[in-house]
């Protein structure tokens, strides 16, 4: 199942069309995309039992071709966790030692954006990081590794856009603000449930910049896999429905190149994960501050 935010309402996207979850269920389920995440298993069962009529004015194919009506499939999570240095090749390109436990920072929810949103670039040193994003359906504390995937609503594609100058300034550096400028967290295009994926633990991530492939990796190469991350986080924080976990980026980021390469106004960033869809975000010059 693919659960999306279409014009601000929760919809299920199919090959034949979209299903407005609240309208088609006569209010059994909410219209809010965030609220529907906690009910994703029940929505899937309802679809199988009732087979509601689809609206053919928007289909999987048309929304893949033009995602401008899609907002982030989660709009206001209580927590966004991000994991640094979770691929060995990314650790090698940065010259940083790999962590013994997950290296966790946050991105703030005000930075969320949709799969086709423009990304304003506040400086000339903004960078890309394609990532698999885990969307939680159920929360809790002290979740065992072998039960962790039971708490997952599904996956989506994410970009952890990073303003490197402020991120790496200071001793020690701090990441969260540098990664939370407006539209620095595009996600989508929808939440794909795990049953739609051939092997949820082995997905290919690709990032292109103006047609040049700058990143390619596989989630099987995560140092700390998804069940481990969920269990680790829940040992400290109470996880909640619609929380997001950015699981890390493979090698190929701009600041680690020689010479460094960064995003520029007018560039297009395309981020793809097999089975999940793609983000296509244009970089722009920010509006002058009032």
């Amino acid at each position: 199942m693919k659960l999306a935010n279409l014009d601000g309402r929760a919809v299920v996207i199919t090959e034949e069309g979209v299903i407005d979850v609240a309208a088609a269920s006569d209010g059994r389920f909410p219209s809010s995309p965030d609220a529907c995440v906690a009910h994703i298993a029940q929505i899937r069962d309802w679809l199988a039992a009732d087979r509601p009529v689809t609206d053919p004015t928007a289909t999987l194919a048309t929304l893949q071709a033009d995602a401008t009506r899609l907002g982030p499939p989660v709009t206001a999570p209580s927590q966004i966790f991000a994991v640094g240095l979770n691929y060995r090749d990314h650790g090698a390109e940065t010259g940083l030692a790999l962590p013994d436990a997950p290296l966790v920072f946050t991105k703030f929810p005000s930075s969320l954006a949709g799969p086709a949103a423009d990304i304003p670039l506040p400086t000339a040193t903004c960078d890309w990081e394609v990532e698999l994003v885990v969307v939680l359906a159920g929360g809790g504390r002290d979740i065992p590794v072998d039960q962790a995937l039971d708490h997952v609503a599904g996956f989506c594609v994410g970009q952890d856009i990073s303003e490197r100058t402020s991120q790496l300034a200071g001793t020690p550096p701090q990441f969260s603000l540098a990664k939370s400028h407006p539209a620095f967290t595009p996600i989508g295009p929808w939440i794909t449930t795990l049953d739609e994926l051939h092997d949820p633990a082995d997905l290919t991530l690709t990032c292109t910049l103006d047609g040049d492939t700058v990143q390619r990796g596989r989630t099987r190469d995560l140092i700390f896999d998804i069940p481990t991350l969920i269990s680790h986080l829940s040992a400290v924080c109470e996880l909640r429905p619609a929380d997001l976990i950015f699981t890390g980026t493979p090698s190929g980021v701009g600041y680690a190149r020689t010479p460094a390469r960064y995003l520029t106004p007018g560039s297009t960033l395309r981020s793809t994960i097999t089975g999940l869809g793609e983000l296509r975000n244009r970089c722009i010059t920010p509006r002058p501050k009032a």
Side-chain angles (χ1 to χ4, degrees), residues 43-180:
I43 292 171
R44 188 173 55 205
D45 293 343
W46 161 71
L47 288 173
D50 287 10
R51 299 184 180 277
V53 176
T54 60
D55 176 359
T57 58
T59 66
L60 179 63
T62 61
L63 291 170
Q64 285 175 327
D66 180 7
T68 53
R69 291 177 62 192
L70 294 173
V74 174
T75 64
S78 62
Q79 300 170 110
I80 302 177
F81 302 97
V83 183
L85 299 178
N86 204 19
Y87 288 83
R88 295 184 188 280
D89 58 357
H90 179 50
E93 73 176 348
T94 64
L96 299 172
L98 295 176
D100 295 326
L103 176 62
V104 179
F105 58 93
T106 60
K107 288 171 72 74
F108 296 110
S110 59
S111 65
L112 283 168
D118 290 343
I119 302 173
L121 303 177
T123 73
T125 55
C126 296
D127 204 349
W128 58 83
E129 294 188 14
V130 64
E131 306 202 15
L132 174 69
V133 178
V134 179
V135 184
L136 295 177
R141 292 186 182 271
D142 299 317
I143 298 170
V145 169
D146 62 356
Q147 297 176 24
L149 291 182
D150 296 338
H151 295 258
V152 173
F155 296 156
C156 64
V157 187
Q159 263 290 344
D160 174 19
I161 305 298
S162 306
E163 198 292 292
R164 298 298 192 191
T165 299
S166 59
Q167 179 194 348
L168 302 175
T171 304
Q174 65 91 12
F175 288 9
S176 298
L177 287 178
K179 292 169 171 282
S180 296

Side-chain angles (χ1 to χ4, degrees), residues 255-267:
Y255 91 97
R257 295 168 177 261
T258 304
R261 182 179 181 184
Y262 294 110
L263 300 171
T264 57
S267 293

